[in-house]
Amino acid sequence: MNWEAILAPYSQVVEELKVKLKGMRAQFEYETRHSPIEFIVGRVKPVQSILEKAEKRKIPLNRIEQDIQDIAGIRVVCQFVDDIYTVVEMLRSRKDFTIVEEKDYIANEKESGYRSFHMLIEYPVETIHGNKVIMAEIQIRTLAMNFWATNEHSLNYKYKGRIPEDIKLRLQLAAEAAFKLDEEMSKIKTEIQEARRIFHRK
Ligand code: 0O2
């Protein structure tokens, strides 16, 4: 398989979405006193991870583009939980892509303790062969949720998906602690935002 050719439109989508979301972030900074977006990252799933996911889920090679929905992935990281829903609303009102599915793992956290809001979109991109609709996954989470998920992801990698029970339990407790931190920070949100404004004026 010519992976470079297959993945080229996915890279294009990741780059376009990053530019657009960064544009939204900049506009928020000019026009309002607080941007709901802290930072944006994006990646195309490495070929090795695509093949591993396909094998795990018994997806044949000719179905990879349809059945693996996060080959193009964008992550939007926010300061506060309610910023996540502001971003979700903004994405829902956009006309440049179609939302296919939404998964709220904040209201319904995963058993692991994972929290994030996932949006699956269909994004039309122009290629040298014409228009192609590419599926992409946008993950929206707070800094605390991102800290937890990054660490849990590393442990999952280390233990090849079989994290020992005692560490699993610690991770679940850590997920609750991270969520509590988000809740506490939300309660003093106005204070924090004022402090950030004073700091940036200096
Ligand atoms: P990578 O390396 O991040 O690309 P499923 O995994 O079957 O529950 P599904 O249908 O693939 O879920 O989609 P879902 O639930 O939207 O999850 C896809 C992505 O969300 C994952 O991609 C992770 O990035 C993230 N994610 C979901 N659950 C967890 C979790 O418990 N812990 C962490 N750290 N991340 C999670 P990949 O392909 O697994 O991995």
Side-chain angles (χ1 to χ4, degrees):
M1 275 174 103
N2 184 353
W3 282 108
E4 232 173 307
I6 294 171
L7 296 181
Y10 290 86
S11 304
Q12 175 83 20
V13 169
V14 168
E15 292 311 313
E16 285 188 18
L17 282 169
K18 279 202 305 196
V19 166
K20 289 179 176 186
L21 291 171
K22 282 180 185 171
M24 267 169 46
R25 179 175 186 265
Q27 209 182 339
F28 262 108
E29 271 162 15
Y30 301 137
E31 293 182 15
T32 71
R33 295 189 304 177
H34 167 72
S35 168
I37 300 172
E38 189 68 16
F39 64 86
I40 297 143
V41 287
R43 61 100 184 96
V44 174
K45 209 177 185 68
V47 175
Q48 184 67 22
S49 310
I50 296 176
L51 293 174
E52 278 166 15
K53 197 163 182 171
E55 197 185 303
K56 211 165 91 190
R57 301 203 177 164
K58 308 208 179 338
I59 298 168
L61 280 183
N62 62 355
R63 291 282 313 167
I64 278 179
E65 287 196 76
Q66 295 84 348
D67 295 353
I68 299 187
Q69 293 157 337
D70 64 340
I71 295 178
I74 292 285
R75 186 167 296 153
V76 180
V77 180
C78 308
Q79 231 188 332
F80 301 102
V81 178
D82 58 1
D83 290 338
I84 295 176
Y85 294 97
T86 305
V87 173
V88 167
E89 281 305 326
M90 271 171 3
L91 295 177
R92 282 181 186 151
S93 67
R94 292 192 71 109
K95 304 274 183 288
D96 48 350
F97 53 76
T98 313
I99 298 168
V100 180
E101 197 183 349
E102 290 182 359
K103 294 185 207 167
D104 187 347
Y105 294 130
I106 299 164
N108 310 295
E109 77 262 25
K110 286 199 162 188
E111 207 193 320
S112 59
Y114 179 77
R115 283 183 172 91
S116 273
F117 194 101
H118 288 193
M119 205 174 246
L120 203 64
I121 65 164
E122 280 178 346
Y123 186 96
V125 71
E126 291 298 326
T127 74
I128 52 169
H129 309 292
N131 188 275
K132 186 173 162 88
V133 176
I134 294 283
M135 199 105 83
E137 184 183 76
I138 306 177
Q139 300 180 341
I140 312 150
R141 50 170 79 148
T142 61
L143 288 157
M145 292 171 193
N146 192 46
F147 177 50
W148 182 92
T150 309
N151 291 337
E152 198 258 4
H153 193 270
S154 309
L155 287 169
N156 242 317
Y157 188 78
K158 175 179 174 189
Y159 290 107
K160 299 189 173 59
R162 287 187 217 96
I163 299 179
E165 283 308 315
D166 57 329
I167 301 180
K168 246 190 206 168
L169 184 64
R170 279 197 190 281
L171 280 168
Q172 282 162 349
L173 294 173
E176 287 316 307
F179 198 60
K180 186 96 192 113
L181 176 65
D182 273 335
E183 282 179 337
E184 289 302 317
M185 288 299 183
S186 291
K187 288 180 195 155
I188 48 168
K189 181 176 174 177
T190 325
E191 289 280 329
I192 297 167
Q193 285 173 342
E194 251 171 45
R196 272 166 74 108
R197 274 199 299 279
I198 294 165
F199 183 77
H200 286 300
R201 271 206 300 269
K202 276 190 179 161

